[in-house]
Amino acid sequence: MSLPEGHPTVHEHWGRKCPVTGDSHDFCPPQEGDIRSVCPALNTMANHGYIARDGKNISAQDIVVGLKACYGLSNPLAYFLSYVGFIILRKFRRISLAEIGKHGAVEHDASLVHHDTPEGQEYAPIAIDPALVETFIADVRPTAKEVQGSTEDGVEFLMNAEDVGRSRVRREKECRPVDAIHAEIARGEMAIILGVWEKKTRTKAGIPVDWVQRWISEERLPEGWKPDHTENLLDVVKRAKSIKAAADMIRQEEAANVPPPKPV
C-alpha cells in the first residue's frame, strides 16, 4: 500500500544513521523498531542523532559526548550524569534507552509528564500524557509585567525555578511518595534545562515556555537552537536548590492556608 502524499518517509535507523536527515542533527521521530526511554533529554538526543537514533547499543561514553554536543554540558557534569547513571542501573556495558526506565533506579514516581509505574511492573511507562503536559505548562505564573507586555511582538512567557517548584509540589501530592534521593534527581532534571536554555528579559529570567512544551512533548530541540554556553555542575546544584526552596515555600503557604479542623 502506498503512503498518502506528504506522509513522512518510513525508514530504518541504524545507530546514528538516518537516511532522511543524513549526517545532520536535524530532527527525525523514532521509527518502527526504535527504542526510547522515560527521559525527554535522552530521547531528544536520539531524535537529533547525538546518540544512536535507534536507541540501542549505547555506551556511557556515547552519552557523555552527546550531552556535551547537544546541550553544552561541561565535562564533569556530563561524566557525572552518565557514569553515575550507569552505576545506579548496575550496567557496565552498552544499554538500550528502555533500560533507563527501570523503576526505582534513576527513574522515579511523580514524573511531570509520565504516569507512575504500575504495581508489579519493572519498567516505567514511556508514554507521555498530553494532559499532564498541559497541566505542567499551566503551572507557569507569568509576572504582571509579562502579562502587560504580552501584546508586544516577540514577548515570551518564561518558566523559572519557582514555576518548576510549583509543578513538583503538585505532582508529589498527586502521586506515590518520592524519597529524598529521587526528589533530588527530579529537581536536577529540570535544573539542567533551566540552565541550558535560560533567557533574561526585562521582567523575568527563565526558559521559554513554548520551548519546554515542545521539548517535553515532542522530544525535540527548539528550531535552530545551539548551545551558547557551557553548563556546569555547580550551576545545576544552585538551580536545584532554588527549585527546592520554591517548593518548600509553596508547601508552607499551602499549610498556612489550611483551615483548622472543626471541633467534634
Side-chain angles (χ1 to χ4, degrees):
M1 183 178 75
S2 62
L3 294 172
E5 185 177 352
H7 191 286
T9 304
V10 177
H11 54 276
E12 183 177 359
H13 289 147
W14 184 259
R16 291 176 58 186
K17 294 182 179 179
C18 175
V20 174
T21 65
D23 293 330
S24 75
H25 289 299
D26 289 347
F27 174 80
C28 183
Q31 302 295 298
E32 185 177 355
D34 288 351
I35 295 174
R36 292 295 183 262
S37 74
V38 295
C39 176
L42 292 177
N43 292 347
T44 299
M45 287 164 59
N47 290 342
H48 284 273
Y50 286 99
I51 55 175
R53 288 184 181 268
D54 61 6
K56 304 172 185 176
N57 201 31
I58 298 171
S59 70
Q61 189 61 27
D62 291 337
I63 293 178
V64 170
V65 173
L67 288 170
K68 291 167 58 181
C70 182
Y71 297 109
L73 304 193
S74 68
N75 266 317
L77 178 55
Y79 272 94
F80 175 80
L81 293 173
S82 181
Y83 280 90
V84 170
F86 268 61
I87 290 169
I88 293 173
L89 289 167
R90 298 183 180 179
K91 298 290 182 180
F92 304 99
R93 297 181 182 274
R94 293 176 178 268
I95 64 171
S96 74
L97 287 181
E99 294 177 81
I100 294 166
K102 185 174 182 181
H103 182 55
V106 179
E107 181 275 340
H108 54 84
D109 287 327
S111 162
L112 295 174
V113 295
H114 298 97
H115 292 289
D116 287 355
T117 305
E119 291 288 347
Q121 295 294 311
E122 185 177 4
Y123 290 91
I126 64 170
I128 297 165
D129 185 336
L132 289 178
V133 174
E134 292 299 323
T135 307
F136 172 45
I137 297 302
D139 283 330
V140 176
R141 300 289 188 270
T143 64
K145 289 183 178 180
E146 276 186 294
V147 174
Q148 290 169 6
S150 63
T151 56
E152 301 175 15
D153 290 339
V155 171
E156 297 176 297
F157 287 145
L158 301 179
M159 173 184 290
N160 63 12
E162 183 179 345
D163 298 318
V164 175
R166 187 177 297 107
S167 295
R168 292 278 3 127
V169 170
R170 174 180 54 78
R171 284 299 285 156
E172 288 170 23
K173 288 192 297 185
E174 295 171 347
C175 301
R176 291 194 294 258
V178 181
D179 61 57
I181 292 175
H182 287 96
E184 192 64 44
I185 290 173
R187 290 189 291 267
E189 292 164 349
M190 285 303 299
I192 292 170
I193 208 66
L194 284 176
V196 168
W197 285 342
E198 184 178 69
K199 288 186 172 187
K200 292 183 179 179
T201 67
R202 294 172 308 200
T203 61
K204 190 176 182 180
I207 56 178
V209 170
D210 57 337
W211 287 16
V212 181
Q213 186 165 17
R214 189 178 198 187
W215 173 69
I216 211 161
S217 59
E218 299 179 31
E219 297 178 328
R220 81 189 281 174
L221 296 171
E223 199 67 40
W225 177 83
K226 298 292 182 185
D228 58 5
H229 68 281
T230 300
E231 184 70 10
N232 62 52
L233 184 56
L234 183 58
D235 294 329
V236 174
V237 170
K238 287 180 178 178
R239 285 189 172 86
K241 286 182 178 179
S242 295
I243 293 171
K244 183 178 187 301
D248 289 344
M249 179 65 70
I250 291 166
R251 291 189 184 97
Q252 290 172 14
E253 291 173 352
E254 289 181 349
N257 291 328
V258 173
K262 294 181 180 180
V264 178

